[in-house]
Amino acid sequence: YIEIDNGPAGTTSMALSRQMVLFCVERRKAWRMLQSRAGVRNIDYEAQKAVRASLEAEETPPADRIAYAKEHFTQELAKLGA
């Protein structure tokens, strides 16, 4: 879902269709490819890839994956210089 600002009425939550989510994911991938071809180093993306690889390599229980990912993401960003 996303939250939309309605001015004085506050915020409203709205659901997104699966198709819209997939479109956004594809646009993000295209943007990252464009950045990489232009020579832009995206350390956030590099940290995400490292955390994902470590999650796949280790047998982390599903209940612990979010905490594990947060901790390792912070460590990866620090290593990459963010």
Side-chain angles (χ1 to χ4, degrees):
Y1 72 91
I2 60 172
E3 290 186 353
I4 297 174
D5 183 18
N6 286 335
T11 59
T12 302
S13 297
M14 300 192 75
L16 292 173
S17 68
R18 180 174 175 79
Q19 185 175 4
M20 181 62 85
V21 171
L22 293 174
F23 177 75
C24 291
V25 168
E26 180 159 333
R27 293 292 92 212
R28 183 185 65 206
K29 287 180 181 179
W31 177 246
R32 286 187 172 155
M33 182 182 68
L34 184 63
Q35 285 180 317
S36 69
R37 289 191 176 175
V40 175
R41 182 173 177 240
N42 188 333
I43 59 172
D44 187 61
Y45 181 55
E46 291 176 17
Q48 288 175 20
K49 286 193 310 187
V51 169
R52 186 170 180 185
S54 67
L55 275 172
E56 290 174 359
E58 296 181 19
E59 293 296 323
T60 308
D64 298 336
R65 286 186 176 198
I66 293 175
Y68 176 89
K70 285 180 181 179
E71 178 184 330
H72 282 75
F73 182 73
T74 305
Q75 292 173 357
E76 285 295 325
L77 279 178
K79 278 197 302 189
L80 293 170

